[in-house]
Amino acid sequence: MRTGSEPATARSALRARFWLSLWGLCWAVFGTAAFALVGRPGWAAACGVLWLLITVDMIVILRHIRQGPHYQPGRDVPPYQPSDGPPYPEPRRHRRPLRGPPRHHHP
């Protein structure tokens, strides 16, 4: 059921992201080595850049996992309860004076 508070109460599957990043890291390392061995420096460089991005992503994931339940609640932590009020304040409505029906000028 959607409550409208999903962005504020969303949780990330950090362990799944970690394992998927590890899988991608293995393929990026393999691709870098394989393309370097067959003499394709462009593809080897592309895989090397991907390797660097995956490594940075894994560092961020591991940092969030180590920060504890604030970022990665365990199964014993219930989901956050949405607030009772609307998720965002109602926009202010500006009243414009009535000017009458629009006038159309035909040539």
Side-chain angles (χ1 to χ4, degrees), residues 9-25:
T9 60
R11 296 181 180 184
S12 177
L14 292 175
R15 285 177 183 78
R17 281 181 57 195
F18 172 76
W19 289 111
L20 287 171
S21 292
L22 187 63
W23 178 253
L25 183 70

Side-chain angles (χ1 to χ4, degrees), residues 13-105:
L14 292 175
R15 285 177 183 78
R17 281 181 57 195
F18 172 76
W19 289 111
L20 287 171
S21 292
L22 187 63
W23 178 253
L25 183 70
C26 292
W27 278 106
V29 170
F30 173 76
T32 304
F35 285 122
L37 289 174
V38 297
R40 299 286 219 166
W43 284 103
C47 287
V49 169
L50 188 60
W51 182 356
L52 178 66
L53 289 173
I54 293 170
T55 302
V56 170
D57 186 43
M58 286 183 70
I59 291 169
V60 170
I61 291 168
L62 288 172
R63 180 175 171 258
H64 284 177
I65 288 174
R66 289 186 180 155
Q67 284 179 340
H70 176 69
Y71 285 98
Q72 182 61 30
R75 293 181 183 189
D76 56 335
V77 178
Y80 299 105
Q81 293 297 323
S83 65
D84 293 334
Y88 303 104
E90 302 246 350
R92 296 180 73 185
R93 297 179 190 248
H94 299 286
R95 300 188 103 183
R96 295 182 184 166
L98 295 176
R99 296 184 184 166
R103 297 180 183 158
H104 298 285
H105 297 286

